[in-house]
C-alpha cells in the first residue's frame, strides 16, 4: 500500500467528476496521479470537507462520521484495494471497542469520510500501476496541492494555477480515456 493525499476534484470532458489522488512519495518514474471517477454528490461532499466549511444540515458523510464517534469508533484508514473491470474498490479500517473492523466501501464514500476524520488514505501498488497517470498531465495542480477550493467556487479553486498548455493536454487525456482503460 502506498499512502496518498487528495489533490482535489476535477471534471473530465463529459462532465464526470474525478477525485485526484497523489502518493506522498514519488515513484521511480516520477510523480503520478490516480484519477477515480465519482458522483457529483460525493464530489461536493469531498470539496466541502477539504474547504473546512460546514453545511446548514449534516450531509450523509457528516452523519456517518458523527455516528462512528457516538458509537465509540473512529476511522483509522482508507484503502483503495483493487481495480476490477474498471471499478475501484475500497475498505475502511475502523477502530472500535471490540477491536479493528474492516468495512467494504465505495472509494468516493471512503475518501469523503477520510477527509472529515483526518484518516490516512492508501492505494494498493497494483492499483497505482494500473490506474496512475503521470502528474504532469494534470499540470502544476498535481505537483503541489493548492489551497482547498471554497464551496460554490465555480472555478474549482486550483484551476487558475494550472499552466494552460498542460491543462489542455490533461483535458485531451480525459476526453479520450474511458474507465475501462484502467482495467487490470
Amino acid at each position: 500500500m502506498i499512502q496518498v493525499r487528495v489533490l482535489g476534484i476535477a471534471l473530465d470532458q463529459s462532465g464526470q467528476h474525478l477525485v485526484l489522488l497523489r502518493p506522498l512519495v514519488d515513484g521511480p518514474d516520477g510523480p503520478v496521479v490516480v484519477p477515480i471517477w465519482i458522483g457529483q454528490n460525493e464530489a461536493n461532499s469531498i470539496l466541502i470537507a477539504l474547504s473546512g466549511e460546514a453545511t446548514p444540515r449534516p450531509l450523509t458523510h457528516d452523519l456517518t462520521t458523527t455516528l462512528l464517534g457516538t458509537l465509540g469508533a473512529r476511522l483509522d484508514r482508507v484503502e483503495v484495494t483493487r481495480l476490477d473491470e474498471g471499478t475501484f474498490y475500497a475498505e475502511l479500517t475502523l477502530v472500535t471497542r471490540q477491536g479493528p473492523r474492516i468495512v467494504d466501501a465505495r472509494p468516493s464514500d471512503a475518501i469523503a469520510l477520510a477527509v472529515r476524520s483526518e484518516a490516512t488514505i492508501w492505494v494498493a501498488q497494483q492499483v497505482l500501476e494500473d490506474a496512475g497517470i503521470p502528474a504532469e498531465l494534470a499540470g502544476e495542480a498535481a505537483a503541489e496541492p493548492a489551497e482547498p477550493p471554497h464551496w460554490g467556487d465555480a472555478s474549482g479553486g486550483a484551476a487558475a494555477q494550472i499552466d494552460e498548455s498542460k491543462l489542455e493536454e490533461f483535458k485531451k487525456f480525459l476526453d479520450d480515456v474511458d474507465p475501462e482503460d484502467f482495467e487490470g
Side-chain angles (χ1 to χ4, degrees):
M1 289 285 172
I2 308 296
Q3 189 173 2
V4 298
R5 66 177 180 255
V6 177
L7 290 177
I9 302 296
L11 290 173
D12 68 10
Q13 292 290 44
S14 66
Q16 296 289 326
H17 290 83
L18 300 154
V19 62
L20 302 174
L21 304 176
R22 177 164 178 210
L24 297 181
V25 178
D26 293 338
D29 296 329
V32 297
V33 173
V34 177
I36 299 177
W37 278 261
I38 63 174
Q40 180 178 350
N41 291 335
E42 292 79 6
N44 288 336
S45 182
I46 292 168
L47 285 171
I48 290 167
L50 287 173
S51 70
E53 293 188 31
T55 57
R57 301 287 300 143
L59 300 174
T60 303
H61 300 109
D62 299 317
L63 175 62
T64 303
T65 301
T66 300
L67 284 171
L68 287 173
T70 301
L71 296 173
R74 71 175 171 81
L75 179 60
D76 181 53
R77 70 189 277 154
V78 164
E79 295 180 358
V80 179
T81 57
R82 65 189 173 101
L83 177 61
D84 186 19
E85 296 183 21
T87 301
F88 289 89
Y89 292 82
E91 295 178 344
L92 307 173
T93 300
L94 303 174
V95 176
T96 72
R97 292 179 186 141
Q98 294 77 27
R101 298 287 189 252
I102 307 296
V103 179
D104 182 42
R106 297 183 311 170
S108 56
D109 292 325
I111 292 165
L113 291 170
V115 295
R116 281 169 171 72
S117 61
E118 299 180 10
T120 57
I121 304 171
W122 301 78
V123 173
Q125 180 69 41
Q126 190 62 52
V127 171
L128 196 63
E129 290 171 11
D130 292 344
I133 61 170
E136 63 266 9
L137 289 178
E140 293 174 24
E144 289 300 324
E147 289 297 312
H150 294 284
W151 189 27
D153 179 359
S155 72
Q161 298 179 13
I162 298 174
D163 178 307
E164 288 299 319
S165 65
K166 290 182 180 180
L167 178 60
E168 287 305 315
E169 185 179 349
F170 187 56
K171 285 180 180 178
K172 181 177 176 356
F173 168 79
L174 291 176
D175 193 33
D176 296 339
V177 73
D178 289 316
E180 292 80 23
D181 292 339
F182 296 106
E183 292 179 17

